[in-house]
Amino acid sequence: MRLHRLEITAFGPFGSTQKIDFDALSSAGLFLLHGPTGAGKTSVLDAVCFALYGSVPGERQTRGATLRSDHAPVGTYTEVLLELTVGDRRLEITRRPAQQRPKKRGGGFTTEKAQTWLREYDPATGEWAGLSRSHQEIGEEIAQLVGMSREQFCQVVLLPQGDFARFLRADAEARGRLLGRLFDTRRFAAVEERLAELRRAAQQQVEDGDARLLTLAHRMTQAAGGLDAARSPVEGRPGDPGLADSVLTWAAVARAEAREALDITAVRLAAAESGRAAARAALDAANDLAGRQARHADALRRRERLTEQAPERDRLQDRLDRSLKADRVAPALGLRRDAEREHAAAHRAREQARAQLPPDLADAGAEHLSALEHRLREELGGLDAARRAERRATAVAEERAVLAREARADEDALRDAADWLAGWEPRRAALTERVEAARDAAARAEHLAGRLDPARRRLAAARRRDSLAEDTRTAETRLADARERRNAAHESWLDVKSRRLEGIAAELAVTLTPGDPCQVCGSTAHPAPARTTADHVDRATEDAAYAAYTRAEETRTAAERELAVTRESWSAARTEVQTGESDAEPTVGELSDEADELARLHAEAHALAGQTHSARETLARAEREYEERVAAQREAERRVAARTSRREALEREQSALDEELARGRGAFASVAEHATRLERRIALLVDAAATVRTAELAAQRLKEADDRLADAAYRAGFATPAEAAGALLGESERRELQRRVDAWQAEAAAVADRLAEPGTAEAAALPPADPAGAEAAHTAAERALREADSALAAARERATGLDGLSRQAVTEVRRLGPLREEYDRVARLAALTAGTSAENERRMRLESYVLAARLEQVAAAASARLQRMSSGRYTLVHSDARSGGKRSGLGLHVVDAWTGNERDTATLSGGETFFASLALALGLADVVTDEAGGVRLDTLFIDEGFGSLDEQTLDEVLDVLDSLRERDRSVGIVSHVGDLRRRIPAQLEVVKARQGSAVRLRTGGEALSG
């Protein structure tokens, strides 16, 4: 990889565009990059790294937001362009970080996104061809071509000497971190971690299996409760060796004890069953004897009660016998009661009917009443025609009344229609005029609405215009103040910064310690350190001044943005107020009066226009009413003509009906009254005749019933009918008497049967039975049987549980076998790669082992140059010996050829440490380049450290660096040492000034400003 051209714009301390021609510098092989502290030497290297990877080296990579130069004018983009050759391809990379730029419209700033361009030079056409503008694609392309990550590039190409000086003195762990980043041994660390994870996972599986096995052992201990084995449970923890054998042995002992206990409980259960059977037989015998003795005693008591109840039974039986005789007289008694009831009812009905007849007919017979009824019916039949005439006369009168009412209504309608139609024409003209006026008002309201909204918008814009004018004046005042404060803060910061840079040597001298190398020149001797002056300022004062300047700049930017927004809003408001008719701007009062007048006129027109619909509806209703009234007038006139002829016909019919009604009414007010009176008299006569006949028949039937009852009582053996009636019993009473008699007879038969039983009499002769004692003995036998059965079930359950748990334990032990073997194998590998195994004698981790091989290569490559730099005295060697009980693998020693001893690199002096670290850096660059894919590195940079070398050593170091040209390399040295300016003719000088730093190229005594 060879650098050709670098262009830096508004980057770091460089305010303007600076161009660096690396081809001119590289032609000499060695070139010097120098300049005062803070000028921007490191920023040149940062720009190279930023162009390739989009970020700057080391800790500065977090300052991406501060890459922009404070000296750059507004509107100039921060940009880095790098032209280089990688392999056989010539590329051009241009990068812009994310940055603030002024808005294209209005005031203020906006954030410009980061941009990247990649182009390639085509030798055939002599033109550049664009390849990509994608950050991701360009980053992948550069990483693939260069073959190194950003960390490797910064360590190999930029050669930071301070890091390698620390690398020489560092312990194995610190070296491992640096080498791991450079050689990317993460895959070996991943192998270690993966084996450790597998070991932990396998260990967890084994411990989980042992935990399950212990759980089974605890469950078996609980299941074996009461056995001797339960008093000595299995003890142990997951992962203990021999745990499985202990669990299986204990399970076998517990199973044997459980089977023995099961056999004993089975024998006890058989004995309990025999005892319960004997107790059951004794209990049954005692209960049977007690039952027979109780039956005999109960039969004697029941026989005594029957003897006492015998007189009552005889009385009940006599009542039943007399009721059976009286049943033969019951039909005659029923007929007598029915006849008596009918006779009384007929007598009451006859007396009620006679009470409504005239006195001369009170004692008349049925025949006389019937003859009088027939005469009245004949008279009623002669009134039918008169009644029809009367009904027709009523209908005619009603119809004549209706005609009269209709005639009066038609007369009123004709009069009302005539009055209404007389004023129709003037009313129609007024309604038509109202409709036209409302229509005109609607058009006028629409026109005024179109003028009102613009007038209101202009009024609002005028109010905003006046308010924004005042805001603009206020913003201008704030901006002027902010600019003055920003300029004052900027001048103050530059002054403080300049004063600090002038006294920076004194500030660095404060940190010097005798024997430690200088941060600038690397020398361990400090003969005349600089002293601070009264005008010196420290870093905190500079940071405070810069912070004040930053705040003032932010305040000025915010004020500019606010003023631009306010002016834009004020201009827009003025444009909206202007009508184009006049150049003069109307005032708010004028626009307000205009808007109020338009609003008033619009409200009046809108209110009148709102009556359009109602006016049209009123006119339409009036026209419909006119048509309806004309039609109603014509219909009323037609009805009047038809009604006259009908009224004359009804009057003629009424005269004929009046003559007929006069003949039919007679002495009554109406024919209907005459007919009603006849119908009432006929109904009374019919009812009276019927009640007389019914009373005569009822008296006859009562006499016949008395005769039959007397004859039936005599035949049944009763002296009188009343005696027979007294002997009768109701059905429920008779059933109750019969039930009591039957119950006494059934009880007597049952007592006789029980006293005749052979076993009952024999039991009565025996001593009294003791069923309570037999029951107690049986209960005790039952309890003993239940206890024996429960004990057998518990023993059987215990044996079954122990068998099942033992089988589970055996299965778990078998399953754990392969897991234990896998764990042992993985644990051995993990311990070996982690360096903790006894088999790993040097306690080297796998990653350290790989890095040790790389470090051995680096030491060999570095020794080739170190011998030349030290005149053959020093050689770097790798050591894998253990020190102080720590792990080995990444030791680095120096062999002194003058003494023949091998010693630690920390014993080197300041100058020796510099050229040793330089040799180490160059050797590491060769090894990393080969490891990364063999990409040729044609441009290298070495940062500081030459001030610690004497003149002879400096010559030897420069000879070594000059020998790099044999491989067509160019080496850039970054240093403050003045002697190098005389020794190296090709120089790139960085000059700092208040307006920003600049670069100057010097080759062979000529100077070219960047």
Side-chain angles (χ1 to χ4, degrees):
M1 180 186 71
R2 177 179 294 277
L3 305 183
H4 299 292
R5 178 169 56 94
L6 178 66
E7 293 184 6
I8 308 173
T9 303
F11 184 90
F14 304 105
S16 60
T17 301
Q18 304 296 317
K19 298 181 180 180
I20 302 174
D21 188 355
F22 284 110
D23 286 337
L25 292 171
S26 300
S27 60
L30 285 178
F31 64 90
L32 179 66
L33 177 60
H34 68 94
T37 302
K41 300 185 298 297
T42 305
S43 296
V44 174
L45 307 183
D46 291 347
V48 173
C49 185
F50 177 75
L52 288 172
Y53 297 98
S55 59
V56 295
E59 298 178 355
R60 298 188 298 277
Q61 64 180 316
T62 59
R63 296 173 53 208
T66 62
L67 292 179
R68 179 170 178 80
S69 174
D70 295 331
H71 305 285
V74 177
T76 300
Y77 284 105
T78 298
E79 182 178 282
V80 175
L81 182 149
L82 176 64
E83 182 182 343
L84 73 161
T85 296
V86 182
D88 57 351
R89 300 176 64 182
R90 188 156 184 162
L91 304 174
E92 181 188 85
I93 308 171
T94 304
R95 288 189 187 269
R96 289 181 181 175
Q99 53 194 297
Q100 295 285 323
R101 64 164 176 82
K103 292 183 178 179
K104 296 180 180 179
R105 296 182 179 179
F109 293 84
T110 184
T111 300
E112 182 82 11
K113 295 183 179 179
Q115 302 182 58
T116 306
W117 296 270
L118 178 63
R119 299 197 302 171
E120 182 175 5
Y121 180 73
D122 187 357
T125 61
E127 297 180 354
W128 290 91
L131 296 181
S132 176
R133 297 190 63 175
S134 170
H135 296 292
Q136 183 176 358
E137 291 180 358
I138 296 174
E140 294 175 355
E141 182 74 12
I142 295 300
Q144 183 177 1
L145 290 174
V146 177
M148 289 182 285
S149 65
R150 182 182 62 84
E151 291 78 6
Q152 290 176 322
F153 178 84
C154 296
Q155 199 73 39
V156 172
V157 178
L158 304 185
L159 297 182
Q161 292 304 300
D163 289 349
F164 280 95
R166 288 190 295 271
F167 181 81
L168 282 173
R169 298 185 176 93
D171 56 11
E173 184 176 357
R175 290 195 185 103
R177 287 196 296 269
L178 175 62
L179 294 175
R181 290 197 304 269
L182 294 178
F183 293 104
D184 192 15
T185 57
R186 289 174 296 179
R187 58 188 183 277
F188 301 103
V191 170
E192 296 178 25
E193 183 62 27
R194 178 57 179 166
L195 287 173
E197 291 178 359
L198 292 176
R199 179 187 59 78
R200 289 192 293 270
Q203 181 180 4
Q204 186 62 42
Q205 289 181 342
V206 171
E207 291 181 354
D208 291 345
D210 286 346
R212 291 193 295 270
L213 195 60
L214 283 175
T215 301
L216 290 174
H218 294 160
R219 291 174 60 189
M220 286 190 288
T221 302
Q222 294 174 356
L227 299 178
D228 293 339
R231 299 186 181 91
S232 58
V234 177
E235 299 293 340
R237 294 181 301 175
D240 290 349
L243 179 64
D245 294 337
S246 299
V247 173
L248 294 180
T249 301
W250 185 91
V253 174
R255 289 198 305 274
E257 292 183 3
R259 293 192 184 98
E260 182 179 0
L262 178 62
D263 296 338
I264 295 173
T265 53
V267 173
R268 291 176 179 173
L269 178 63
E273 289 177 346
S274 300
R276 187 193 65 169
R280 178 79 254 181
L283 177 61
D284 292 343
N287 287 335
D288 180 64
L289 178 60
R292 286 184 292 151
Q293 290 177 347
R295 286 168 60 84
H296 185 270
D298 181 66
L300 293 178
R301 288 192 298 272
R302 289 165 62 187
R303 187 174 63 181
E304 291 178 0
R305 284 199 302 272
L306 289 174
T307 302
E308 293 174 356
Q309 295 173 359
E312 178 65 19
R313 184 197 67 81
D314 294 340
R315 186 181 64 78
L316 295 177
Q317 186 63 47
D318 181 64
R319 288 190 63 189
L320 285 174
D321 294 340
R322 286 177 60 79
S323 68
L324 291 176
K325 294 179 182 180
D327 286 344
R328 296 196 293 270
V329 186
L333 287 171
L335 291 175
R336 173 65 175 73
R337 285 195 297 272
D338 294 341
E340 186 177 8
R341 201 164 41 250
E342 290 177 1
H343 180 266
H347 182 72
R348 288 194 300 272
R350 184 186 64 182
E351 292 302 323
Q352 291 175 0
R354 283 181 174 179
Q356 296 179 6
L357 293 176
D360 56 339
L361 297 177
D363 296 328
E367 297 299 334
H368 180 68
L369 294 174
S370 296
L372 182 58
E373 173 199 349
H374 291 312
R375 288 197 301 271
L376 292 177
R377 287 186 182 276
E378 290 176 358
E379 184 179 354
L380 179 61
L383 294 178
D384 288 341
R387 283 197 292 186
R388 287 195 295 275
E390 187 176 39
R391 288 195 294 273
R392 177 56 187 165
T394 302
V396 170
E398 291 177 355
E399 186 174 357
R400 290 179 65 188
V402 170
L403 290 176
R405 287 196 300 273
E406 291 178 353
R408 288 193 297 272
D410 287 340
E411 289 175 359
D412 294 340
L414 289 173
R415 188 166 47 255
D416 183 56
D419 294 340
W420 192 89
L421 292 174
W424 164 242
E425 290 301 331
R427 184 181 182 191
R428 181 173 62 178
L431 292 175
T432 303
E433 182 179 356
R434 181 185 173 193
V435 171
E436 293 297 331
R439 187 182 297 113
D440 295 341
R444 188 166 62 258
E446 183 176 359
H447 174 70
L448 290 172
R451 295 176 56 194
L452 179 59
D453 288 342
R456 287 175 174 170
R457 288 195 297 271
R458 291 180 62 206
L459 174 60
R463 289 171 176 164
R464 290 198 308 276
R465 177 199 62 194
D466 295 347
S467 176
L468 290 171
E470 181 63 27
D471 294 344
T472 301
R473 289 189 291 272
T474 303
E476 289 174 347
T477 302
R478 283 200 295 268
L479 177 58
D481 295 341
R483 284 174 174 170
E484 292 178 1
R485 286 194 295 272
R486 182 263 182 197
N487 293 335
H490 187 254
E491 290 296 328
S492 175
W493 171 57
L494 292 178
D495 179 65
V496 170
K497 184 175 182 180
S498 176
R499 288 159 56 195
R500 181 168 181 258
L501 290 176
E502 291 173 357
I504 195 67
E507 184 175 333
L508 292 174
V510 175
T511 63
L512 294 177
T513 303
D516 290 344
C518 175
Q519 298 180 11
V520 179
C521 64
S523 174
T524 57
H526 317 298
R531 304 296 181 182
T532 58
T533 62
D535 197 33
H536 176 68
V537 294
D538 56 6
R539 182 179 182 86
T541 306
E542 181 186 356
D543 292 343
Y546 178 73
Y549 161 65
T550 302
R551 290 193 297 271
E553 176 66 20
E554 293 176 352
T555 303
R556 180 192 63 80
T557 302
E560 287 181 348
R561 188 183 302 111
E562 180 184 1
L563 178 59
V565 172
T566 306
R567 282 177 174 173
E568 184 176 356
S569 301
W570 175 73
S571 178
R574 288 189 62 197
T575 303
E576 189 174 356
V577 171
Q578 290 296 111
T579 60
E581 300 174 356
S582 174
D583 294 336
E585 293 186 11
T587 63
V588 173
E590 293 172 351
L591 293 174
S592 177
D593 294 340
E594 180 183 355
D596 292 343
E597 179 63 19
L598 289 174
R600 183 185 63 78
L601 295 175
H602 176 265
E604 294 176 356
H606 186 270
L608 184 57
Q611 301 176 7
T612 302
H613 180 71
S614 61
R616 289 176 178 173
E617 288 293 325
T618 303
L619 177 59
R621 285 196 301 271
E623 290 176 346
R624 288 195 299 272
E625 186 176 1
Y626 168 74
E627 294 174 357
E628 291 172 358
R629 286 184 178 273
V630 170
Q633 184 182 35
R634 294 171 182 170
E635 182 65 21
E637 291 174 350
R638 185 189 61 77
R639 288 197 303 271
V640 169
R643 192 180 300 108
T644 301
S645 59
R646 178 59 180 165
R647 186 168 52 247
E648 293 175 352
L650 290 176
E651 289 176 353
R652 290 194 296 271
E653 185 179 1
Q654 184 67 44
S655 299
L657 290 174
D658 290 342
E659 294 178 359
E660 186 174 357
L661 287 175
R663 292 192 298 270
R665 282 195 301 268
F668 296 97
S670 64
V671 177
E673 183 181 354
H674 188 188
T676 300
R677 184 67 62 84
L678 289 177
E679 290 172 353
R680 188 180 300 114
R681 293 184 64 188
I682 291 171
L684 291 175
L685 291 173
V686 170
D687 187 38
T691 56
V692 170
R693 293 190 184 96
T694 300
E696 292 175 352
L697 292 175
Q700 181 65 30
R701 283 197 294 271
L702 178 59
K703 183 176 181 304
E704 293 175 355
D706 287 338
D707 294 342
R708 292 178 182 176
L709 177 60
D711 182 60
Y714 176 75
R715 284 197 301 269
F718 293 102
T720 62
E723 184 180 354
L728 284 174
L729 293 175
E731 186 63 26
S732 59
E733 185 179 5
R734 181 183 296 174
R735 283 198 301 272
E736 176 62 22
L737 292 176
Q738 187 65 48
R739 183 191 65 77
R740 293 172 65 183
V741 172
D742 293 342
W744 189 92
Q745 292 176 351
E747 178 69 9
V751 169
D753 292 340
R754 182 168 296 181
L755 291 175
E757 292 178 357
T760 303
E762 294 174 358
L766 296 175
D770 186 15
E775 179 67 25
H778 179 265
T779 301
E782 284 280 357
R783 186 184 309 107
L785 178 61
R786 285 195 300 272
E787 292 175 353
D789 186 63
S790 299
L792 179 62
R796 186 179 293 113
E797 182 179 0
R798 178 171 53 198
T800 303
L802 288 173
D803 290 341
L805 293 173
S806 297
R807 287 193 296 272
Q808 295 181 27
V810 171
T811 302
E812 189 65 33
V813 170
R814 290 174 179 172
R815 194 180 68 83
L816 277 174
L819 294 178
R820 289 185 184 277
E821 294 177 1
E822 177 68 16
Y823 167 68
D824 293 339
R825 182 170 58 257
V826 172
R828 181 184 176 190
L829 286 174
L832 188 62
T833 57
T836 59
S837 173
E839 298 176 341
N840 192 334
E841 296 179 358
R842 298 186 181 278
R843 299 184 63 189
M844 291 179 63
R845 295 172 50 241
L846 177 61
E847 184 181 13
S848 299
Y849 179 79
V850 176
L851 291 176
R854 295 292 185 269
L855 183 58
E856 188 173 358
Q857 297 173 355
V858 171
S863 295
R865 296 184 176 90
L866 180 59
Q867 286 180 343
R868 292 184 60 184
M869 294 180 187
S870 62
S871 301
R873 179 180 179 182
Y874 294 117
T875 303
L876 286 174
V877 295
H878 160 252
S879 173
D880 56 4
R882 299 175 58 182
S883 175
K886 297 183 179 180
R887 298 183 181 182
S888 62
L890 297 178
L892 191 63
H893 292 170
V894 61
V895 178
D896 190 346
W898 290 2
T899 64
N901 295 330
E902 179 179 330
R903 53 193 173 96
D904 193 271
T905 54
T907 61
L908 295 174
S909 66
E912 291 171 342
T913 299
F914 167 72
F915 61 69
S917 63
L918 177 59
L920 183 64
L922 293 174
L924 182 63
D926 293 338
V927 176
V928 171
T929 300
D930 295 338
E931 176 72 16
V935 176
R936 180 179 176 85
L937 301 177
D938 297 320
T939 305
L940 300 176
F941 293 91
I942 300 175
D943 191 1
E944 287 299 346
F946 292 89
S948 62
L949 304 179
D950 56 38
E951 185 175 356
Q952 180 181 355
T953 305
L954 180 60
D955 289 338
E956 293 174 350
V957 170
L958 292 179
D959 289 341
V960 172
L961 295 178
D962 190 58
S963 67
L964 296 176
R965 289 187 298 172
E966 298 174 0
R967 301 177 60 182
D968 197 21
R969 281 182 176 175
S970 61
V971 180
I973 299 175
V974 183
S975 178
H976 293 278
V977 178
D979 192 32
L980 290 178
R981 301 177 191 175
R982 297 187 300 271
R983 294 172 179 265
I984 303 175
Q987 300 177 14
L988 180 65
E989 182 182 5
V990 182
V991 182
K992 67 177 180 179
R994 296 179 65 89
Q995 66 273 15
S997 298
V999 297
R1000 295 175 182 174
L1001 181 65
R1002 302 177 184 272
T1003 57
E1006 299 178 355
L1008 177 63
S1009 176

